[in-house]
Structure formats: structure tokens, C-alpha cells
Amino acid sequence: MATQSDSQVYQGEEKIIVAIDLGTTHTAVSFAHAYPGSVVDVRMVTKWKGQPEAAGDSKIPTIVAYEQGELVACGAEAREYLGDEAYEVSKWFKLHLHPDSMNFSDEPPAYDNDTSASPAMEIPPLPSNVTLAEVYTDFMRYVFGGFRTFFQKTTPNGLAIWDRLSSNIVVVLTTPNGWDTRQQEFLKEAAQEAGIVQSEEDADLRIEFVTEGEASVHYVLGKINHKTWLKKGSMFAVTDAGGSTVDSTLYVCKALEPKLELEEVCASECVQAGGVFVDRAARSLFTEKLSNSKFGDEESISDMVDKFEQRAKRIFDGSQESNVIEFGSRRDNDREHGIIQGKIVLTASEVCATFDNVIKRSTDSCLKLLRGRKIKHLLLVGGFGESPYFRLRFEEGFGSHGTDVVTVEEPSKKAAAYVSFPSRNLLIYSTARVQSCGISNKWYLRVLHASH
């Protein structure tokens, strides 16, 4: 796509643009300082409070800790309070904001593919005496504060630049395809309460929204050479598999020159079937396996799910017959229930089963989008899309129809997102995985939207 050339030299008004991808499990922030006469450098926030200095990871956990309704910590620092009964940690709170059209089922896919589930597997409740608006406000204030600190410390003359431009920062928020104006207004109000914008009018002027579907297509086409596979009239799909949703969009190429022009063939699809549902299925698995074990308590099960998510879920590709979950110490033993020296082993079929219902929902959603149309390429992005097993099943399912599943991944970064500001003459990646931006008077990519 666009390269850094004279046509990309920014000639607009000096400004700071920040993009926030507040995900179900992880959040990331990217930003740019656009200065007239320069090529804009888009950067990621890679240092956060509580994060190991050498980590350099753009992703932080989307969690908030409270004590008796009072904020204690956010992000990496909030991890310290998980499992401590004196504190309540809010996680997956994005699920509470999903519209009814997406909440077709709040039950997780059970590990044995039975769609029934116990009440304990419902969406995690909010902390006592804390509203959803307060959780979002607290977390957005923390995220924006982390961005401010990073900008000021890593930008030459950062303090002076911030003081000069902070009141007019452009804020870009990514949202699932299935969200609508109600969720957007909720986020605007939270941003105002968090001090990111100063009023309702200020929010309308400075906050931009982009769907994860549109952000993904910008990202993907910015990372791969579309001229080698895309031609006028060809159709392709983009599937963004994230923490709680899987968004799929179908495009047709309307023109390649003088700029790439794409058109949505139909309304995009969004299904509640992201990676957290695999975690919830794993919890169901552990709970049933250890129902008569001393390690069947909530704290032990939570430790197992955390270790499952951190390793087994991420590396599983369907071939590993033994999947070791190290959750305890060498003194933790219950041989009758398969626990030896703080470890429990899951078979390949057990791990597969935690994925299967989620994968079925995802593939069914994508097939619904296609409605029998033939495509040669399906571009798979997103944090959950990096799962080897998820990719394998997608490749098997769509490969049998002659579709090539293409993945674009940078595991240490957040999900794909790229956004355009036509009125501001600026194209910029909107969350993480940010390595370049395109600035031009003639847009090289135009997306025409289908009516929803």
C-alpha cells in the first residue's frame, strides 16, 4: 500500500491523535503527533504501571480492582488482587454492554458441547456498589492517563506539546460490528466522566468511532500487498476474532486505480463467540472434573483457568495429546483426580471440546455472511484469530470450499485496527500493531458501507 513518500507529508493542522481498543480481555493504545511538513510516525504505548519494565507489550489486561466499591487498581496492577476475597476484580465487563441482538445466549459452550451450563458460568457480575459506567470511567481514565505519561516521557519536548494540544486531542474508539449508537453514547459519557473530553459537545467534536470490521480491513491491506491477489470484481472476507466477539465483513473490489476502492457486499456479521468463551468452557471442564476433589474450590479452578489461558489455549493446535496445566506447587497432589505436584493434564479431545462450540458459532456466522457466495480469500485477524487451533479449523472448514485463509499476526500486539479521518486528511492505525500510517490528499483506500 502507500509508502512513505512526498505525498505522505502531513500538511494539516498540528494535532495529537490517540486510538484506544478497549477489548474484553486486553486493551491497547496507539497514537500519533501530526506536525505540518513531516511524515507522521504512529506509535504504541508499550509501558504501563505494574507491567515489567522489559515486557514492551502493548497489551494490558482489561480488569479493574475494587475494595468495598472503591477503586484500587487497573490493568496489570489489578492482577495482584485476583483471588483475594477482600477485593472484587471486574473483568470481561465489556460483555455487559453488548446489545440484546448480540446476547442471544449468555451461556458458554460447555466442554462436552452441551449448550446447557451452570449458573456459575454467567457473565462475571460487576463489583458490589459499582455500576458499569463507573467501571468504564475508571478504566478509561487509567488508560488515558497511561497514554499521557508515555507521550510526555517519550516525545521530545513532550510536556510542552501536551500542554499546547491536549484540549483538542482526537480520540478514536473501536467497537464491535454489532454495537450501535447506544453503546457509542455510553462510551462518550464515560470519556467525559474520565476527563478525556470536557463536555457532550466536546465529545461530539473529538471522539471518532470505527467498527472493528472496518479497522481490520485497513490493517490487513496495510500489511499485505493487495496487488498480488486482488483484482476488480473479486470478493474477499475479513474475520476479526477477538476476546468476546467475532466480526466478519464481506467486500468486493470496485477499483484498483487511481486508488483502491472496496464496497461492503452486505451488512457485516457479529457473533458473541470470542476467546473468553473458550476460557469459560475450560472452567466448566475443570469444575466437573474436580467436583469431588479438594482442588475443586473457586481459587484453584481460577488458577487453572488462568494457566490454561496463558499457555495451553494459546499454543494448542490439535495435535498435543497431553496438555499440562501448572497451577500449584509440588506439594499439591490428588492422584485420584489427576493432580500431581500442582499439575493437571488435559487430553487433546478435552482441549478441542473447549474450542468446538465457539468455532462452530464463528464459522456459522461467517457462512451466514457469505450466503453461498464463493470467495478465494478469507483474511483472519484478531487476538483469538492467532490461536493455532482456531486457524486450523477455519482453514479446514473454508479450505474445503476453495477459500484460502490468510493470517496476519503480531502476537505481542493488540488486534488489527486501522482507521481513516477523511475530514482531517489523515489515515492512521487505530489501535496496536501500529507501524506506519498513510497521509495523502488522494485516498488510496475507500470503503463504501452496506446499509445495516
Side-chain angles (χ1 to χ4, degrees), residues 53-293:
E53 189 69 21
D57 194 345
S58 65
K59 296 189 293 185
I60 55 170
T62 308
I63 54 177
V64 188
Y66 294 89
E67 182 182 18
Q68 296 181 348
E70 296 296 325
L71 175 65
V72 175
C74 297
E77 290 184 308
R79 281 177 171 159
E80 300 177 13
Y81 302 95
L82 288 167
D84 190 329
E85 294 183 356
Y87 301 89
E88 294 180 277
V89 179
S90 181
K91 65 176 183 177
W92 302 355
F93 52 85
K94 186 176 180 178
L95 298 178
H96 289 277
L97 197 54
H98 284 342
D100 293 339
S101 58
M102 290 173 60
N103 291 331
F104 62 91
S105 174
D106 278 339
E107 303 299 340
Y111 80 91
D112 58 359
N113 286 333
D114 183 356
T115 58
S116 63
S118 65
M121 295 302 296
E122 295 175 354
I123 295 174
L126 296 172
S128 303
N129 303 314
V130 179
T131 66
L132 181 61
E134 289 171 330
V135 174
Y136 263 92
T137 296
D138 290 337
F139 192 73
M140 291 177 75
R141 183 184 296 115
Y142 161 79
V143 168
F144 195 77
F147 155 60
R148 178 180 60 246
T149 299
F150 186 85
F151 181 93
Q152 292 174 341
K153 290 185 175 182
T154 62
T155 303
N157 203 27
L159 282 171
I161 294 172
W162 184 272
D163 289 343
R164 187 172 68 249
L165 302 176
S166 60
S167 62
N168 291 308
I169 292 175
V170 177
V171 180
V172 184
L173 302 175
T174 58
T175 60
N177 289 8
W179 283 20
D180 52 31
T181 55
R182 184 178 72 85
Q183 285 75 34
Q184 292 181 0
E185 290 303 315
F186 178 94
L187 293 178
K188 285 183 179 180
E189 292 175 7
Q192 183 177 340
E193 289 296 320
I196 298 173
V197 293
Q198 303 308 310
S199 64
E200 183 177 339
E201 294 74 18
D202 193 31
D204 291 338
L205 286 173
R206 295 201 285 124
I207 295 181
E208 301 275 348
F209 291 97
V210 61
T211 66
E212 291 167 358
E214 181 177 352
S216 295
V217 71
H218 281 286
Y219 167 72
V220 171
L221 294 178
K223 301 296 285 185
I224 61 177
N225 184 0
H226 68 274
K227 293 183 178 179
T228 62
W229 59 275
L230 196 58
K231 61 183 181 180
K232 184 177 181 179
S234 60
M235 285 194 297
F236 69 96
V238 178
T239 293
D240 182 0
S244 64
T245 62
V246 176
D247 299 292
S248 297
T249 310
L250 182 63
Y251 296 96
V252 60
C253 179
K254 304 297 287 186
L256 291 168
E257 300 292 345
K259 59 175 175 278
L260 177 61
E261 184 175 308
L262 304 176
E263 182 177 357
E264 290 184 12
V265 176
C266 56
S268 57
E269 289 290 333
C270 179
V271 62
Q272 189 168 290
V276 298
F277 292 93
V278 176
D279 301 343
R280 292 169 69 180
R283 178 177 291 274
S284 178
L285 184 156
F286 290 127
T287 299
E288 184 163 331
K289 283 176 69 74
L290 303 173
S291 59
N292 296 316
S293 169

